[in-house]
Amino acid sequence: MTRPAGAQHGVLVLSCKDAPGIVHAVSGLLVQERCTIVESHQFDSATSGMFYMRVEFAHVDGAPLDFPALREAFQETAARYQMTWRLADAAERQRVLIMVSQYAHCLNDLLFRNSVGELNLDVVAIVSNHPDLEGIATFYGIPFRHIPVTRDTKPEAEAALLDIVREERVDLVVLARYMQILSDGLCRELEGRAINIHHSMLPSFKGARPYHQAHDRGVKFIGATAHYVTADLDEGPIIEQEMLRVDHSLSPEQLAARGREAETRALAHAVRWHTENRIVVHGHRTVVFE
């Protein structure tokens, strides 16, 4: 059935142990609630025995969706299959806090994409441990909070950050090249709602000047990984990766420029998929319905 033009869309995302009848149960419930399916993706994992599904839907006559009633109606099906699930308004803008240090490329890219409608974010604040990028926040009309971090003030700085997260009802924290290691406690507090971008190359170079290290080793690929933040530093579930081929002719500065390109793309994809409810996390892995 052709979806009504301009109709409100809902999104249902679920995961559970695979069993016969799941798709039938979900589609049957939507029919019962007079909804038509706009987009549907599913994945049956042969290795884990898990089933994953994302369904976008609208009311058959274009009427507004009653989300509390839909959630109530879905309870029985979810309980029957022991589902982990969420149901949301597809157009709802998530409240996002961006953290950054002194590198501007990821921050600027996200804010530009959001300004032209490529992302659907309500950026409520930009938090930085340096004052350098306040001008970008001012340009986009976003509150900027400078929270310096030292070894001695780290607990107070993280407490101030959490105050902002709570006061602003933040749905997602994006570390857009925030060059501070978060404490285990903060990582646990933000689990499942914080995304980081990390340069990843073969081999992976840690510490300062990674692209200079890559140049010294003559790497043939550089790239970036966007992942969820966990207490295991850069070991969180991977959302997106970008890789670019390079060669011996590139200087360290040119490698860094290519790296910035990979970082911005990977992070933008990860943020968009998260805020569009296209990601399901299972253990250390993610299922991404692009």
Side-chain angles (χ1 to χ4, degrees):
M1 179 177 179
T2 304
R3 63 182 182 271
Q8 183 183 32
H9 288 190
V11 176
L12 172 64
V13 183
L14 62 90
S15 62
C16 60
K17 282 291 185 181
D18 192 24
I22 299 173
V23 175
H24 180 268
V26 171
S27 58
L29 177 68
L30 291 175
V31 170
Q32 176 184 311
E33 297 296 322
R34 293 186 49 76
C35 292
T36 181
I37 292 176
V38 174
E39 180 182 310
S40 181
H41 300 276
Q42 63 194 63
F43 171 59
D44 176 7
S45 173
T47 55
S48 68
M50 293 292 292
F51 178 82
Y52 306 89
M53 189 175 190
R54 180 188 187 273
V55 183
E56 191 167 330
F57 57 92
H59 202 276
V60 292
D61 61 5
L65 295 168
D66 185 342
F67 287 99
L70 286 167
R71 292 187 183 99
E72 181 65 27
F74 193 66
Q75 290 285 355
E76 189 277 329
T77 299
R80 188 192 328 156
Y81 292 99
Q82 297 184 311
M83 294 175 176
T84 299
W85 61 284
R86 61 185 182 272
L87 195 158
D89 183 344
E92 183 178 359
R93 294 171 69 88
Q94 292 204 18
R95 297 175 64 81
V96 175
L97 182 149
I98 302 177
M99 301 182 69
V100 66
S101 289
Q102 293 172 292
Y103 294 111
H105 53 288
C106 287
L107 171 67
N108 204 41
D109 181 76
L110 289 174
L111 296 181
F112 175 75
R113 290 175 188 265
N114 198 47
S115 71
V116 298
E118 186 176 330
L119 299 173
N120 190 33
L121 317 178
D122 183 5
V123 183
V124 298
I126 295 169
V127 172
S128 180
N129 57 323
H130 294 277
D132 305 51
L133 303 182
E134 185 173 3
I136 294 177
T138 301
F139 178 82
Y140 284 99
I142 299 169
F144 182 88
R145 291 288 302 272
H146 176 214
I147 303 179
V149 181
T150 68
R151 180 178 298 178
D152 294 334
T153 65
K154 191 182 186 75
E156 291 80 7
E158 291 192 344
L161 169 67
L162 281 176
D163 285 342
I164 299 172
V165 169
R166 291 164 183 152
E167 290 166 7
E168 295 293 340
R169 296 173 283 108
V170 169
D171 299 307
L172 176 67
V173 174
V174 180
L175 279 65
R177 291 305 302 270
Y178 182 69
M179 309 303 289
Q180 287 285 325
I181 296 175
L182 305 185
S183 69
D184 290 358
L186 181 57
C187 290
R188 286 191 290 270
E189 183 78 24
L190 298 176
E191 187 172 357
R193 55 183 181 133
I195 294 174
N196 188 28
I197 185 68
H198 184 264
H199 59 80
S200 61
M201 293 166 285
L202 302 175
S204 177
F205 299 103
K206 299 179 180 180
R209 297 161 65 87
Y211 293 105
H212 286 74
Q213 296 180 57
H215 180 266
D216 290 342
R217 290 288 299 274
V219 300
K220 303 301 184 257
F221 286 93
I222 61 172
T225 298
H227 61 91
Y228 284 110
V229 172
T230 68
D232 293 325
L233 297 179
D234 298 314
E235 302 297 324
I238 293 170
I239 304 170
E240 171 66 328
Q241 293 180 297
E242 288 280 344
M243 298 296 290
L244 297 171
R245 188 166 186 85
V246 296
D247 62 33
H248 59 274
S249 68
L250 299 179
S251 68
E253 291 73 25
Q254 289 170 319
L255 287 179
R258 295 285 183 90
R260 289 192 293 270
E261 179 184 347
E263 290 166 15
T264 55
R265 284 210 309 260
L267 184 59
H269 289 164
V271 170
R272 180 168 66 84
W273 293 335
H274 178 94
T275 56
E276 290 181 357
N277 291 288
R278 294 184 178 274
I279 304 172
V280 182
V281 179
H282 182 72
H284 299 296
R285 304 185 67 202
T286 61
V287 173
V288 181
F289 295 116
E290 298 180 26

